[in-house]
Amino acid sequence: MARIVVMGVSGAGKSTVGEALARRLDVPFVDADDLHPAVNVEKMRAGTPLTDDDRWPWLDVVGAALAEAEPPGIVVACSALRRAYRDRLRTAAPDVAFVALEGDPEVLAERLGARAGHFMPATMLASQLALYESPAADERAVRCAIERPLDEIVTAAIAGLEALEG
């Protein structure tokens, strides 16, 4: 069973890649942004970065969604910016694998500037980049460059995930 989190900072393409990956794997897709409590959304909308105290309950809900997924699995788009956040998700779903979407800050800023209708303002990118910890070698994770076409990112993610399974 595949429990996959597509992770990265705002503007990396978590939802777009996550939806495409879920379609390709024929599993459900969940956007963790939809699992935030209203108070978190309002805080972010106002341009105030979340604290760890804001994130822990949300990460527990995301972890529960991963843990409760039925076979054949699930793909969740979730920032999972720090190792501590990924560890929290692994507590709920020890077999979770991560697809880390990484790219040039200028590309991320450009994408955020072009995005409409999302509660996360582009001004919060700097705080997310400052917080971001790329997955370590001992984490079940695949890194994918965001500058590539969507189909190539999904293909690379699947190949990397298959390699993790050995």
Side-chain angles (χ1 to χ4, degrees), residues 69-83:
E70 301 279 331
I74 190 169
V75 173
V76 177
C78 176
S79 53
L81 297 175
R82 294 182 50 225
R83 183 180 183 123

Side-chain angles (χ1 to χ4, degrees), residues 137-161:
D138 66 332
E139 295 186 74
R140 293 185 71 228
V142 176
R143 286 189 188 88
C144 294
I146 64 167
E147 292 84 4
R148 297 165 65 183
L150 177 60
D151 191 53
E152 287 182 23
I153 294 171
V154 172
T155 298
I158 291 171
L161 292 165

Side-chain angles (χ1 to χ4, degrees), residues 42-115:
E42 288 309 312
K43 209 172 175 180
M44 289 183 283
R45 186 173 279 132
T48 305
L50 297 180
T51 65
D52 285 351
D53 287 339
D54 296 323
R55 285 187 183 94
W56 297 131
W58 168 67
L59 287 166
D60 290 339
V61 171
V62 175
L66 288 162
E68 295 165 4
E70 301 279 331
I74 190 169
V75 173
V76 177
C78 176
S79 53
L81 297 175
R82 294 182 50 225
R83 183 180 183 123
Y85 306 158
R86 296 187 296 274
D87 288 345
R88 186 79 165 228
L89 296 175
R90 277 189 284 269
T91 298
D95 62 343
V96 66
F98 295 88
V99 173
L101 301 178
E102 299 178 336
D104 185 282
E106 289 180 17
V107 173
L108 293 163
E110 187 177 298
R111 287 181 176 187
L112 286 174
R115 185 165 73 176

Side-chain angles (χ1 to χ4, degrees), residues 4-7 12-31 74-78 99 101 150 153-154 157:
I4 301 164
V5 171
V6 178
M7 58 169 283
K14 295 179 298 291
S15 298
T16 301
V17 172
E19 288 173 344
L21 182 59
R23 273 193 309 275
R24 187 94 68 88
L25 297 175
D26 197 25
V27 298
F29 171 75
V30 173
D31 193 326
I74 190 169
V75 173
V76 177
C78 176
V99 173
L101 301 178
L150 177 60
I153 294 171
V154 172

